[in-house]
């Protein structure tokens, strides 16, 4: 479909870089050379409810879609799988830290055993916290690359704070920004708009279907013209 075709023109009439293609065109710089802004605020995530729900309940998939659609150099599958493993490790260590005193019925712990359990709980908490910070830092880096790509002002500290305190809101804001700029519409959930590898497969299937339909119409036209030609020859 034409909405998937994205192209870049060198310079616009006003000297700004122009992104064209799909149903709409965008300038990465505002009028008068001002830097672009996010299309909605960090706390406006509920205004795009489908994207908001998708970002909250399937954040790994939504991050993968945003990275691939923005062409940041990583595929949907790699990003989604990476964050899924990261989140599972984080939950694993925090669960171990929160249940250090589980024991069999009738067993008893000495003070030395309890001290050892407390130390283990502290270690597991530390590891879980490190993984948590690593995830926040990586998501903040992705946000920074999106800002650089679309010339949106901000800083690394702001990116980190957004993902540290409002992570799901930040993922939703980035998802809506990427979808509007790259697709020209709110992508919603993955059931509505697929990543580029699925789009390519679907485009190939549509092309093959169109070719088959054209061949069918061509054979039908020849069959319709054949009696007319035969009658003309007889005449």
């Amino acid at each position: 479909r034409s909405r998937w075709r994205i192209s870049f023109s060198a310079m616009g009439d006003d000297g700004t870089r122009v992104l064209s293609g799909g149903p709409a065109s965008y300038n990465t710089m505002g009028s008068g050379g001002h830097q672009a802004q996010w299309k909605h605020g960090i706390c406006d995530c509920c205004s795009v409810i489908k994207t908001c729900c998708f970002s909250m309940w399937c954040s790994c998939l939504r991050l993968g879609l945003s990275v691939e659609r923005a062409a940041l150099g990583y595929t949907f599958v790699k990003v989604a799988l990476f964050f899924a493993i990261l989140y599972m490790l984080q939950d694993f260590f925090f669960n171990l830290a929160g249940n250090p005193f589980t024991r069999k019925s009738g067993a008893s712990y000495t003070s030395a055993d309890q001290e050892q359990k407390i130390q283990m709980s502290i270690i597991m908490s530390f590891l879980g916290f490190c993984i948590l910070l690593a995830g926040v830092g990586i998501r903040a880096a992705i946000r920074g690359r999106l800002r650089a790509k679309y010339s949106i002002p901000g800083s690394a500290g702001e990116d980190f704070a957004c993902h540290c305190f409002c992570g799901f809101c930040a993922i939703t804001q980035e998802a809506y920004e990427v979808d509007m700029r790259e697709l020209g519409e709110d992508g919603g959930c993955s059931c509505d708009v697929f990543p580029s590898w699925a789009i390519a497969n679907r485009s190939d299937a549509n092309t093959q279907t169109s070719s088959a339909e054209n061949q069918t119409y061509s054979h039908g036209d020849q069959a319709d013209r054949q009696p007319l030609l035969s009658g003309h020859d007889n005449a």
Side-chain angles (χ1 to χ4, degrees):
R1 297 180 182 178
S2 60
R3 66 174 180 173
W4 305 118
R5 293 198 294 268
I6 304 295
S7 60
F8 292 91
S9 60
M11 299 293 289
D13 296 335
D14 57 350
T16 60
R17 185 164 174 250
V18 177
L19 171 64
S20 60
S25 298
Y26 300 92
N27 286 333
T28 58
M29 300 292 287
S31 59
H34 298 294
Q35 290 179 311
Q37 300 292 331
W38 295 102
K39 297 192 178 301
H40 70 77
I42 190 72
C43 296
D44 295 336
C45 53
C46 291
S47 62
V48 282
I49 192 64
K50 291 181 66 177
T51 300
C52 179
C53 293
F54 188 32
S55 300
M56 180 173 294
W57 294 324
C58 305
S59 57
C60 301
L61 301 180
R62 183 59 254 192
L63 284 165
L65 287 172
S66 297
V67 169
E68 179 160 321
R69 287 171 181 168
L72 298 184
Y74 298 95
T75 63
F76 162 77
V77 174
K78 289 181 179 180
V79 176
L81 186 60
F82 172 81
F83 279 104
I85 294 174
L86 200 68
Y87 292 156
M88 285 190 292
L89 287 176
Q90 172 187 313
D91 291 341
F92 173 75
F93 285 118
F94 279 137
N95 286 331
L96 285 181
N99 299 280
F101 299 110
T102 54
R103 55 192 176 92
K104 295 181 180 179
S105 177
S108 61
Y109 287 127
T110 64
S111 59
D113 293 333
Q114 291 193 6
E115 184 178 352
Q116 184 179 4
K117 291 292 184 179
I118 292 174
Q119 292 176 353
M120 185 62 65
S121 177
I122 293 174
I123 294 174
M124 294 298 104
S125 297
F126 176 76
L127 292 175
F129 188 70
C130 288
I131 295 176
L132 174 63
L133 286 181
V136 171
I138 295 172
R139 295 197 306 269
I142 292 174
R143 184 180 178 88
R145 292 190 62 183
L146 290 175
R147 286 193 303 98
K149 179 180 178 67
Y150 300 133
S151 300
I152 298 174
S155 65
E158 292 176 358
D159 297 336
F160 188 87
C162 286
H163 276 283
C164 185
F165 300 107
C166 305
F168 293 123
C169 295
I171 294 173
T172 302
Q173 184 186 37
E174 296 157 13
Y176 184 75
E177 189 76 22
V178 170
D179 289 349
M180 291 302 296
R181 289 181 180 270
E182 304 297 339
L183 305 180
E185 62 182 5
D186 178 21
C189 66
S190 61
C191 297
D192 297 329
V193 181
F194 294 89
S196 60
W197 54 267
I199 294 172
N201 293 337
R202 187 169 65 173
S203 298
D204 293 341
N206 291 338
T207 301
Q208 294 176 359
T209 302
S210 299
S211 300
E213 291 177 351
N214 292 335
Q215 292 178 0
T216 301
Y217 293 147
S218 177
H219 291 316
D221 293 341
Q222 292 178 0
D224 292 339
R225 288 196 299 268
Q226 188 64 35
L228 296 177
L229 293 176
S230 299
H232 179 72
D233 293 340
N234 294 333

